[in-house]
Amino acid sequence: MRGLLTVFNKELADYFISWRGIILFGVVLLTAVFAIYGPAGALQNIRADLTSTSQFGAAQFVFLRLFTTSGQSSLSFLYFVSAFLIPIIGIAFGFDAINSEKNSGTLSRLLSQPIYRDTVFNGKFFAGITTIAIMLTSIILLISGLGLSMIGVPPSSEEVFRLFLFIVMGTLYGAFWLGLAMLFSTFLQRVATSALATIAVWIFFLIFMAMISTFIANTMAPINDTSTTQEIFRNIEIQITASRASPIFLFQEATTVILAPGERTASELLQLLQQSSGGGLISSTLPLGQSILTIWPHIVTFIAIPTMLFAISYYKFMREEIRST
Amino acid sequence: MANKLIVETKNLTKVYDSTTAVDNLNLHIEEGDLFGFLGPNGAGKTTTILMLLGLTEPTSGSVNVAGYDSTREPLKVKSIAGYVPEKVGFYESLTASYNLAYIARLNNLPEDVVKKRVAETLEIVGLADKAEQPVGEFSKGMKQRLAFADILIKNPRVAILDEPTSGIDPEGINQLLDLIAKIAKERKMTVIMSSHQLHQVQRICNQIGIMVRGRLLVKGSPNQLGKDSLGGSQFKIELQLTEITQGIIDAINRVKDVISVDRMENRLLVGCSKDLRPQIARAIVEANGLLVEMKIQSYALEDIYLKYFKEA
């Protein structure tokens, strides 16, 4: 256990004092500032919201709206964090975790010490997760602090809990990217190759997955001008199901439920529409318990997938012969 | 030499895909030995070392280090054995003392001991003034000394060094080798050092094993190896005489410890197990011969080494 702590401490220190850590913290800082003051920043939108409380429920969870409003731009804080920031952090901390140590010869030095081989692997993984958690926490605190001084509305206890839940989900989501990057760094010998491979997966989910899910939906349930509502519903349903193969989509869906209880995710809307044929769309906010219940499958998935990735790389790493040449 | 065995392998074999890297190796190393592990590249030295440390599993056979089975109890072996891999690597952006302290902590040394031990060890390898410099700024020779410090910090019973001298200048090599020998003697530490450079091994080792194609061809002290492999004659004395007669040859042959006398045109080659130049000179004079020149060559292990390579 002591060995694990030693590796953990060293890796954590490495992440923080290395250039990559400093750069990523810079990105975190910029993200926070942009989320508040940016052209589509929360400040403008919330002011607008508060003055014209036209929408029912909009006045609720004002504090959370700091994180979710997108205003005119489509690049909301939530979208930016889920599609770019967390994947980049996860990939940056994991893509060279194992193979760079192998190439530089430090791994055989480490493994000739009286520690279990998995200690090195676990130490790196947990240090990575901890760094991601620290970064997410600081970004949330930064935005909260800046936002609080601007709008002057303190968060309610439920809002605090929802933000905490967001950090937990974000960390698990980060663990997915970290695990994926470490998987590639275990299997691929060269650092450049493993970095590219991980980035390729990220871009695939980010850009191509949407096209693919549309394609699948249109093949399975084609729609045209004369389609019935049912046919359209079915098309959208398939599209959503296919999109869920992408962790980015999955995370966005989950965090929308957590941070924007007044909004409905596409699939929730679909369900409501199907049940009530568009008649009585409820626009009240979802209680915390219901929110958690809604995203329970997402939480489980985000625990299961990183665990699986971790297990595969762990297995490979444990069986490998470590040579220094 | 009734010392305890510290390394013992029984029919140790490692097969990669179709090539046999180590073939039924039975290696015995006694505690306190400085064992030189010789062999050309690809002879299976590194593979053997990895198996000693439990870093790779043998295909068959067993390895014991200080009574622990390296395959089943690698952690116990690793806590009493220090290892420097051939291409040793450090965290280049971290300081020498941090790199060492990290290893010390992984060896479960308590925090107050770590600091003291790091300073001591750096002093021994002559890097005390460079303690707070990032390792990236070190020369190859300094890195090798730091690597040796890596071993010393855990104060092991066995130190295993894989090609510790590769890539350093001749002076650095000698310094490092002398340092290894000195420490080994002081701490009564067993040293296993692999190399393909014979004279380096010869400089400090009291036991030598020559490995070729996965097999241990011979093992023994340098002197012993010389005697066994060259039919006992370790020295060759080359004589040039004004005239060679059978009487002179017989006279030389009668000198005690002369093993062979061969005639090569106007020269004589005398094989013997000791330096017999005075005795031979007297024999020639007594047989009325006139000596022009006398040269002695001691059989360096180099010849033995090359001989085995050719045989293999």
Side-chain angles (χ1 to χ4, degrees), chain A residues 9-319:
Chain A
N9 284 341
K10 189 241 155 212
E11 293 298 328
L12 201 62
D14 254 14
Y15 289 151
F16 276 87
I17 57 170
S18 64
W19 275 109
R20 89 174 74 174
I22 295 167
I23 290 170
L24 287 175
F25 265 104
V27 174
V28 163
L29 196 70
L30 275 180
T31 311
V33 172
F34 249 90
I36 297 289
Y37 300 103
L43 221 54
Q44 313 263 326
N45 299 313
I46 289 176
R47 286 227 173 95
D49 279 350
L50 286 177
T51 44
S52 65
T53 341
S54 56
Q55 233 182 314
F56 177 74
Q60 273 182 295
F61 298 113
V62 174
F63 198 77
L64 284 184
R65 291 190 66 84
L66 277 173
F67 301 90
T68 53
T69 51
S70 57
Q72 307 303 311
S73 156
S74 62
L75 202 70
S76 73
F77 165 78
L78 212 55
Y79 180 76
F80 179 75
V81 166
S82 61
F84 297 98
L85 189 69
I86 297 182
I88 287 175
I89 295 175
I91 293 171
F93 286 139
F95 77 95
D96 65 344
I98 302 298
N99 53 12
S100 76
E101 293 236 14
K102 225 186 271 174
N103 295 340
S104 69
T106 43
L107 193 61
S108 42
R109 216 172 119 242
L110 284 189
L111 295 183
S112 62
Q113 307 310 325
I115 50 167
Y116 291 106
R117 188 178 277 208
D118 55 347
T119 305
V120 176
F121 196 85
N122 297 350
K124 278 176 178 285
F125 191 69
F126 291 127
I129 292 181
T130 309
T131 319
I132 293 171
I134 292 172
M135 284 188 165
L136 280 176
T137 312
S138 47
I139 209 170
I140 294 295
L141 289 179
L142 268 171
I143 296 180
S144 300
L146 289 171
L148 196 62
S149 69
M150 290 295 165
I151 60 171
V153 182
S156 67
S157 58
E158 187 183 330
E159 280 173 316
V160 171
F161 190 78
R162 279 173 185 273
L163 283 175
F164 173 73
L165 210 61
F166 172 75
I167 294 174
V168 172
M169 280 299 287
T171 307
L172 288 174
Y173 176 61
F176 161 77
W177 290 107
L178 180 72
L180 187 75
M182 281 181 77
L183 179 82
F184 282 119
S185 91
T186 315
F187 278 89
L188 301 169
Q189 291 302 318
R190 294 189 40 174
V191 174
T193 323
S194 63
L196 273 177
T198 331
I199 290 172
V201 173
W202 172 46
I203 290 183
F204 172 81
F205 284 133
L206 188 64
I207 295 167
F208 296 105
M209 201 59 211
M211 294 183 206
I212 291 172
S213 53
T214 316
F215 174 75
I216 293 174
N218 287 346
T219 319
M220 288 174 72
I223 42 167
N224 49 42
D225 295 345
T226 56
S227 296
T228 61
T229 345
Q230 285 310 314
E231 276 168 348
I232 296 172
F233 281 164
R234 189 169 141 67
N235 182 288
I236 298 172
E237 204 173 54
I238 293 170
Q239 210 173 323
I240 291 169
T241 313
S243 298
R244 283 198 181 129
S246 158
I248 301 177
F249 181 84
L250 211 60
F251 180 69
Q252 280 167 352
E253 210 178 32
T255 42
T256 307
V257 173
I258 299 173
L259 291 187
E263 286 172 29
R264 291 286 177 269
T265 63
S267 65
E268 282 177 308
L269 277 180
L270 199 66
Q271 265 181 353
L272 287 170
L273 284 170
Q274 276 170 325
Q275 281 159 10
S276 55
S277 57
L281 193 61
I282 315 154
S283 63
S284 70
T285 60
L286 221 52
L288 182 61
Q290 289 302 311
S291 288
I292 294 176
L293 208 62
T294 314
I295 61 154
W296 191 247
H298 299 74
I299 297 179
V300 173
T301 311
F302 275 116
I303 293 173
I305 296 178
T307 311
M308 208 175 71
L309 292 174
F310 180 81
I312 297 172
S313 1
Y314 182 93
Y315 180 75
K316 157 87 174 142
F317 182 65
M318 291 301 278
R319 292 178 49 93

Side-chain angles (χ1 to χ4, degrees), chain B residues 225-292:
Chain B
L225 285 188
K227 277 183 194 146
D228 292 354
S229 59
L230 295 165
S233 39
Q234 251 190 305
F235 294 94
K236 273 235 151 117
I237 296 170
E238 195 183 319
L239 304 168
Q240 200 184 344
L241 300 151
T242 48
E243 196 189 1
I244 297 170
T245 61
Q246 193 55 41
I248 295 172
I249 295 176
D250 291 342
I252 296 171
N253 256 328
R254 279 196 295 273
V255 177
K256 197 172 167 263
D257 291 331
V258 165
I259 293 158
S260 64
V261 182
D262 295 304
R263 186 169 177 175
M264 287 173 71
E265 293 169 32
N266 61 339
R267 282 158 197 272
L268 284 176
L269 281 178
V270 182
C272 45
S273 57
K274 285 189 215 153
D275 183 1
L276 295 174
R277 277 178 296 179
Q279 289 86 337
I280 290 170
R282 195 175 61 198
I284 293 169
V285 173
E286 282 170 359
N288 296 320
L290 289 171
L291 188 61
V292 178

Side-chain angles (χ1 to χ4, degrees), chain A residues 2-3 6-7 10 14 101 103-106 108-117 321-325, chain B residues 16 47 50 55-56 75 78-79 83 85-87 89-91 98-99 102-103 105-109 150 154:
Chain A
R2 174 124 189 269
T6 308
V7 177
K10 189 241 155 212
D14 254 14
E101 293 236 14
N103 295 340
S104 69
T106 43
S108 42
R109 216 172 119 242
L110 284 189
L111 295 183
S112 62
Q113 307 310 325
I115 50 167
Y116 291 106
R117 188 178 277 208
E321 178 183 294
I322 306 297
R323 256 175 197 269
S324 62
T325 40
Chain B
Y16 289 108
T47 310
L50 289 181
L55 287 175
T56 187
L75 249 49
K78 285 176 197 167
S79 61
Y83 169 56
E86 184 178 350
K87 198 187 134 219
F90 295 94
Y91 298 105
Y98 189 98
N99 267 290
Y102 188 38
I103 295 298
R105 288 190 192 111
L106 289 177
N107 278 287
N108 271 326
L109 294 181
D150 231 29
K154 60 201 271 192

